[in-house]
Amino acid sequence: MQTVTTSSLLHHLQCSHCGHSFDPLPGQTLSVCCQAPLLCCYDLDEHRFSKRELSAGPQSLWRYEKLLPVFQEQNRISLGEGWTPLLPLPRLASDYGLQHLTLKDEGLNPTGSFKARGLCLAISKAKENGEEACIIPTAGNAGVAMAAYCARAGLEAVVVMPRHTPDAFKEECLAYHARLILVDGLINDCAAKVQALNQKSGYFDVSTLKEPYRLEGKKTMGYEIAEQLTWQLPDVILYPTGGGTGLIGIWKAFHEMKALGWLSEHQRFPRMVAVQAENCRPVVDTFHGKQANSKQYVGKPTLANGLAVPRPIGEPLMLTVLRESGGTALAVSEDDMIEGVSELSRREGIFAAPEGGALWAATKQLLRQGWIRPAEQVLLLNTGSGQKYLDNLKGKWRS
Ligand SMILES: *Cc1c(COP(=O)(O)O)cnc(C)c1O
Ligand SMILES: [Zn+2]
């Protein structure tokens, strides 16, 4: 096949802990210096990428190709991910006295969640780096997305998932011909299983933040939010937080856009809100000083399986985002997230995942506390569709 080079401006990888630089060579996982996540750094200069060029780009996350890490076009593995709509929520806004309430609907991505963005880039780079088989510990959606992109790339896929995950997630992985391994416990127990398996086999581990490229896929949400709002950022963004790649990635995108000169000098960055489930609230507890960190946190399963991440490796990066942005962290109950899903469906016709329902429940809490003011621009990042969760949601609707 003919090799066509992309216009990627990727320059080097940087240790998120000490700042040490590395070449973006194949096989990069955590930094060798600090065992911390590696971040992609680009040549950020308005002359190399002007936002005026965007109008000619595809209606997918590949419109930001220069700020993505894939070097050769034939390694771009795409299923139409990204460029999801920003939907105003006028009925809910008027029910609760908010003036500007919007939802970015990531449920419309391939495989029904925003995990498609991250896995699209991780699997494209795995292919570019010559990997043949990938493995992932997952709470559900990431495994499905990895299985789909591996199928499209012609790579082998191994998905390690909690046994209690709804069948829809498992069946879709099997449809993509992934090998599915079920584990009793949560995603951290799946991660331990992946490490044990990898003592013997050479699968490439695409766990959250353990390779540098999922984050690059997720950051495109930040670019899209800015571009879709014609470069005026909202006041508050609520994000359902598990491993935190979206939170960290969106914040990275805002900084990159600033360096590119795409935002006005006076543009304030949004206050970022991490929303978790009462059943698994490690970042909320650390943020509010109830524990030093979540290294020993023990979580319980939640309907919002994407939030069941008890010991996220990216916690220090998430805390930096919350503090730098003047944001906050809060948890919602299982009942409140179901009521959130129900209200979004009933009032706006949007069938969100419980993770998305949790955002609306959190918005109401913050509005009651006065932390969100009625005139502020509030954006909910609905990370997934409710469709795969029906086993756990059926019978919960008001008659
Ligand atoms: C994975 C997932 C999350 C959490 O995303 P992180 O990037 O791990 O914080 C939220 N919602 C859904 C639907 C998910 O699948
Ligand atoms: Zn380091």
Side-chain angles (χ1 to χ4, degrees), residues 15-20 22 31-36:
C15 171
S16 59
H17 187 70
C18 76
H20 196 93
F22 298 90
S31 67
V32 290
C33 42
C34 306
Q35 291 295 302

Side-chain angles (χ1 to χ4, degrees), residues 140-319:
N141 277 317
V144 177
M146 189 194 83
Y149 284 93
C150 279
R152 192 151 177 90
L155 305 186
E156 234 183 282
V158 182
V159 176
V160 185
M161 194 182 278
R163 195 177 305 281
H164 64 256
T165 313
D167 282 346
F169 294 90
K170 299 174 189 163
E171 289 301 323
E172 193 171 338
C173 288
L174 295 172
Y176 298 125
H177 211 67
R179 186 172 146 215
L180 182 64
I181 298 174
L182 301 177
V183 166
D184 293 307
L186 294 180
I187 192 170
N188 53 314
D189 304 296
C190 297
K193 177 76 180 171
V194 165
Q195 294 206 327
L197 284 168
N198 258 3
Q199 308 263 300
K200 291 182 247 124
S201 63
Y203 298 114
F204 186 67
D205 180 357
V206 294
S207 298
T208 298
L209 293 166
K210 286 194 184 162
E211 58 76 57
Y213 304 116
R214 274 174 75 177
L215 184 63
E216 295 306 290
K218 292 272 187 91
K219 86 176 178 190
T220 56
M221 294 185 289
Y223 282 95
E224 289 179 20
I225 289 167
E227 189 179 353
Q228 290 171 322
L229 292 172
T230 56
W231 314 104
Q232 306 284 313
L233 301 179
D235 296 304
V236 179
I237 296 179
L238 288 97
Y239 177 80
T241 305
T245 41
L247 193 70
I248 300 161
I250 290 171
W251 198 245
K252 182 173 190 281
F254 293 159
H255 281 281
E256 287 177 0
M257 282 186 278
K258 182 138 204 188
L260 283 161
W262 289 8
L263 300 175
S264 98
E265 288 292 307
H266 312 287
Q267 176 65 61
R268 288 178 58 177
F269 286 3
R271 303 189 327 270
M272 303 294 290
V273 180
V275 178
Q276 298 204 296
E278 290 285 1
N279 284 357
C280 190
R281 43 179 292 164
V283 178
V284 176
D285 283 359
T286 307
F287 181 79
H288 292 291
K290 297 205 178 108
Q291 56 185 12
N293 58 53
S294 63
K295 286 184 182 158
Q296 303 299 323
Y297 187 89
V298 178
K300 294 197 292 248
T302 156
L303 205 56
N305 37 39
L307 307 187
V309 183
R311 300 170 189 182
I313 181 177
E315 184 177 68
L317 295 168
M318 289 191 253
L319 293 169

